[in-house]
Amino acid sequence: MKQYKNEMDNLHWTQAGKENLINRVKANAQQEPRKGHFSIGKYVVIAAAVCLFSVTAYATGILQSASDVFAPILGGTPVQTEIIEKIGHPVGASDTSDGITITADAIIADSNHACIVYSIANADGSPFALPEGVLPEDVFFAGGKGGTELPFNIGGLNGSSWIADTDNTDGTLQYIEMLSTEKPLPAGKKVTAEFSRLSYFDTDGKAVVLSEGDWKIRYELNFEDVGVKIPVEKEFVRDGLTFTVHEISLSPIALQANYTVDAIPEWSNEESGQLPEQDQKEHFRFMDTIELFITKTDGTIIDLTNSGGGLSVEDGVTMGYKGTVLEEIVPLNEIVSITVGDVVIDVNI
Amino acid sequence: MNKNENLEYLVYTYADTILRFSYSYLKNLQDAQDVSQTVFVKLLIAKQNFKSKDHEKAFILRMTANVCKDILKSSWRNRTCTMEHCGEIVAPKEDDDSSILWAVNQLEDKYRCVIYLHYYEGYKAYEIGKIIGVPTPTIHTRLVRGREKLKKVLGGE
């Protein structure tokens, strides 16, 4: 896709074109009537947000409605018993503000990744007032608080959150939060989830406030690790470099591959600014170029090649890892294989 | 930043991005130019404040997607280039069948726009879903199928 990028780079406005565009926009804007939307100034989220962490005072145990709770991110597949038994359930993890109740319903996690499911419900059970053309997935928290917070030293932390519900008729929306931490999650510790200003993007992409509410939920983080580690020790050669895949960390919510390379990246050593071209090239050779796929039993391939990762050098060997939190739960018994570069690892769990 | 300075900032920062994304969506350079103008007019009127550059860019791409959808739904499509607008953009040859861009343009619009957002802009599936208003699993499917179709167009298996 490098050629695609290069070709697309060749499509651009000229300097004169941009100047003309500015003049046309000024002229047109003066003629355009103002719309009556309430425009808010601060909000969130579309992309991977830097997440805080928190959540859950679960007692782990059997969850009869696990399929319902995780339905938005299960892709219609039933939940494995092994997963059900490891799902954590918050106890009394709920708060009501402005007639809307947010409840932390469940968490599924491995050592470094968590998927938390919340429900957002109108107290009177009525559907949320979304205009025609606006979908439940357009709803978000605009107040700068939209998830969980980890007050502990857990190193790097990132993640994302979104409304996964497609049905706005039952008065409840399901909100998913996926988190990834550098150090292990602080199991058993008390954490807090905060939310504010429930809003939606209208069909013009403008944020409109649904509720000015503030919600705060505090409880203990309890879960059972649903992950497995699969030793690999297989090699492949790419662009003159020999990659050795050592281990896969796999769970229904995350995948990470650990590997080494028999060469050292030639970094540019530039101090700041955008990633220099030389460093981009080296990242591409040592990490970005490595395909990362999950192949499911139904033939579906989940392409995670664009996942993030890291590179470090020790004793003349480059150590790399590459992986991501999945965007939907994938039961391990539905995974046939994992592909890392040219290495295909059969999964039989 | 006053209104005019803000407009200049937006145009110099995002004009190429909007042009490329709307071209990926509509496969028509003149429509893409019109979409750019429409988006900037909307931005100028909306006076949005953004939490971050990432948020700003995602918002603008989302707005662009909505304008493109409106154009696709309408019966009117701009097929000609007026003299005053010709020469305002530099574009690769559209009929060069050895180019990847040509190959991508042979795909349906639903594949073209996710390929652009994923492979050019580097967005993940759930981010693309938010931008174009489609569930994340559908984006995964479109990316996989789009790649498969692209391979076929390029003469692969």
Side-chain angles (χ1 to χ4, degrees), chain B residues 81-121:
Chain B
C81 174
T82 61
M83 284 307 290
E84 59 178 324
H85 295 178
C86 285
E88 288 191 346
I89 57 172
V90 174
K93 283 184 183 174
E94 290 182 276
D95 56 354
D96 177 4
D97 64 7
S98 67
S99 78
I100 300 286
L101 195 54
W102 176 87
V104 171
N105 278 347
Q106 307 313 303
L107 309 181
E108 293 168 59
D109 55 80
K110 65 181 179 183
Y111 297 122
R112 294 197 305 268
C113 71
V114 296
I115 283 174
Y116 172 79
L117 290 172
H118 185 65
Y119 291 104
Y120 188 82
E121 296 291 349

Side-chain angles (χ1 to χ4, degrees), chain A residues 143-325:
Chain A
K145 300 172 189 170
T148 57
E149 187 173 343
L150 276 180
F152 315 103
N153 182 11
I154 42 83
L157 174 66
N158 58 63
S160 59
S161 53
W162 69 95
I163 297 283
D165 211 326
T166 55
D167 177 17
N168 183 36
T169 60
D170 59 1
T172 300
L173 297 176
Q174 282 184 302
Y175 182 75
I176 308 294
E177 187 171 34
M178 293 285 202
L179 299 166
S180 179
T181 58
E182 185 182 355
K183 294 181 183 174
L185 288 163
K189 301 285 186 185
K190 281 211 169 186
V191 291
T192 304
E194 288 190 74
F195 307 87
S196 61
R197 228 179 193 186
L198 190 65
S199 306
Y200 63 83
F201 286 115
D202 70 10
T203 52
D204 283 334
K206 186 185 289 281
V208 181
V209 174
L210 262 176
S211 165
E212 291 282 1
D214 267 306
W215 298 266
K216 189 170 184 176
I217 304 168
R218 185 162 171 79
Y219 35 78
E220 284 179 6
L221 179 67
N222 288 320
F223 62 87
E224 278 190 52
D225 189 341
V226 292
V228 294
K229 294 192 186 303
I230 304 171
V232 183
E233 301 303 333
K234 286 185 180 171
E235 290 182 358
F236 68 96
V237 177
R238 178 72 54 86
D239 192 20
L241 302 174
T242 301
F243 291 78
T244 305
V245 183
H246 296 289
E247 185 182 72
I248 296 294
S249 299
L250 178 65
S251 79
I253 60 166
L255 170 66
Q256 181 172 306
N258 295 314
Y259 61 90
T260 53
V261 191
D262 68 341
I264 298 172
E266 294 173 14
W267 303 122
S268 66
N269 292 324
E270 288 187 25
E271 287 181 358
S272 61
Q274 286 191 317
L275 196 62
E277 192 177 346
Q278 171 65 19
D279 293 359
Q280 286 182 35
K281 277 183 188 169
E282 291 302 88
H283 262 288
F284 184 80
R285 288 177 70 218
F286 282 80
M287 191 168 71
D288 299 348
T289 187
I290 306 306
E291 298 86 351
L292 193 60
F293 298 142
I294 293 176
T295 303
K296 295 172 67 178
T297 48
D298 65 359
T300 308
I301 294 171
I302 302 175
D303 185 351
L304 304 170
T305 304
N306 272 10
S307 301
L311 296 169
S312 60
V313 176
E314 204 169 290
D315 297 331
V317 174
T318 301
M319 295 183 291
Y321 72 90
K322 181 170 182 172
T324 187
V325 177

